[in-house]
Amino acid sequence: MRNEGIHGEIVDALAGPGYVAVTGYAGVENVLALLASLDTRQQAGRFHHAGIGVGAARALAPAIRGDRISWIDGPEDCAEEAFLTRLDGLRVSSNHGLMMGLEALDMHFASFAPGAGYVRHLDRSPTGVDRVVSVIYYLNQDWQAGDGGELEIETANGLVLVEPRADTLVVFLSAQFSHTVLPAVRERCSLAGWFHRRPLGRPS
Ligand code: OGA
Ligand code: MN
């Protein structure tokens, strides 16, 4: 039986190919509100360069990963709260439909400056935190072909390219899909998050 609504569509995709990109996930108003939240955090100096690796091996490596991030430690405004609530609906649908046992979502804003990318990687490292499902929501209005910044997902059927257009949500099984963020010619903003089976620590 197919599950209904956009969360049902995502759950069906997780049960099938294991990845999906849906457009029109939260609506343009929510995109604008989240961009305002991002801007507030940027103005307040709340973004820092993201690192790679876990524990003692954690390090900055801008040639590997060039984004600056700001973690959401509980929603700070209505936009963040509404978006996290919507994603919690996906968590509940996944648990009902696939018995995934997802308990927590860890999420940060991300900004890639022009020219910055993130080389091919898996979101779940063998020794790392227990990431089960990855979600990325794009905030880039008027993205043009030629702006670059595609997410390149490695699938059994070859590479799948997703443009980082505003209101597109990408969802995939964290342990199964290597992926790459290609450099863009303009700033590339998103929210990236991971559903965990248990609330665990996170990298810095
Ligand atoms: C990540 C990541 C993809 C994207 O943050 O781990 O792969 O499209 N992001 O921003
Ligand atoms: Mn990733």
Side-chain angles (χ1 to χ4, degrees), residues 10 22-23 30 56 72 75-76 80 96 107 112 140 142 151 163 178 188 195 200-201:
I10 294 168
V22 296
T23 56
N30 283 304
I72 301 180
E76 295 183 16
E80 294 177 8
H96 283 168
M107 177 153 252
F112 290 80
N140 307 296
D142 306 315
L151 172 66
E163 290 187 324
S178 295
R188 177 193 190 275
F195 288 108
L200 288 175

Side-chain angles (χ1 to χ4, degrees), residues 118 121-123 131 134 136 151 172 179 181 194:
Y118 193 160
H121 66 280
L122 268 179
D123 284 346
R131 293 171 164 178
S134 302
I136 304 131
L151 172 66
F172 57 87
H179 53 280
V181 178
W194 298 270

